Amino acid sequence: MSKLMHFRSSPVLRQAFNMMLNPGRPDLLCVQGPIESGKSVWSLGVLYAMACTIPRCNDGVRRSKWLVVRNSYPDLESGTLETVKQWLKEDIYGPIKGKGPFRHRCQFLDVDMLIEYRSFRDDGEELLRALRSTEYTGVWINEGQFMPLRLVTQMMDRTGRYPSKAD
């Protein structure tokens, strides 16, 4: 059973949220603020809203595939995934599966949203090659200031590729 989600945020985050839902949105938006200011919840809210408003595929389903990244799996599990579990409750939206990388298929209303949670520590050639064969709707880089720029660029290059234009 689906449930509507309501996110509350500061005026600045609300303005950024609205900007991200407009067709002319930026390719990259960085959010910085104090600890416990709601940045992660805001980021998840943007991801959720974009999944709910993405154009429908030919079969009427709003498909999206998201990459959520953190610098280490312990940080991903104790931080980012804990936030996700508070808002995208597994008994409503589906279980988070795997053991790094994690996968979370959320199906509700006309939305089929797949989220991959991964950890990237460096921008080595092997990792960059592995990213080259992936396709995502978008990426949320949690604590992105700790990511090498080359890795951020490679992740951004993989976005806007799912679902395919034919769908």
Side-chain angles (χ1 to χ4, degrees):
M1 176 167 200
S2 296
K3 198 167 129 179
L4 288 177
M5 296 174 66
H6 299 282
F7 293 94
R8 292 190 183 102
S9 61
S10 71
V12 172
L13 287 178
R14 195 168 21 262
Q15 181 181 8
F17 184 91
N18 291 334
M19 181 177 22
M20 291 306 294
L21 295 183
N22 287 327
R25 70 179 162 265
D27 291 333
L28 175 67
L29 182 65
C30 298
V31 177
Q32 184 176 351
I35 295 170
E36 294 192 10
S37 61
K39 300 175 302 292
S40 293
V41 171
W42 176 86
S43 298
L44 181 60
V46 169
L47 187 148
Y48 183 89
M50 290 178 78
C52 291
T53 57
I54 194 167
R56 290 179 179 89
C57 290
N58 295 331
D59 61 1
V61 177
R62 298 179 190 272
R63 286 192 176 74
S64 59
K65 183 177 176 185
W66 305 90
L67 175 62
V68 176
V69 178
R70 188 87 187 249
N71 60 323
S72 73
Y73 278 110
D75 288 344
L76 182 67
E77 289 183 76
S78 66
T80 310
L81 279 175
E82 288 303 313
T83 299
V84 169
K85 288 176 182 179
Q86 289 173 10
W87 288 92
L88 297 179
K89 299 194 180 298
E90 293 180 273
D91 60 332
I92 297 171
Y93 292 96
I96 297 172
K97 297 179 179 179
K99 200 67 178 148
F102 302 92
R103 293 172 64 90
H104 191 191
R105 169 154 262 130
C106 302
Q107 295 176 302
F108 56 97
L109 303 174
D110 63 348
V111 176
D112 184 354
M113 171 174 62
L114 177 62
I115 308 172
E116 289 184 6
Y117 303 92
R118 299 187 66 178
S119 169
F120 297 122
R121 290 185 178 267
D122 60 38
D123 61 347
E125 288 303 317
E126 185 175 319
L127 176 62
L128 293 176
R129 269 195 302 281
L131 271 172
R132 287 186 196 125
S133 63
T134 59
E135 297 177 341
Y136 298 100
T137 306
V139 62
W140 163 24
I141 305 170
N142 194 278
E143 302 291 348
Q145 70 271 29
F146 301 113
M147 295 283 167
L149 180 59
R150 198 168 91 145
L151 180 57
V152 171
T153 302
Q154 186 66 30
M155 285 187 275
M156 287 182 56
D157 285 347
R158 309 319 307 159
T159 64
R161 298 170 173 261
Y162 186 91
S164 70
K165 302 251 187 262
D167 290 332

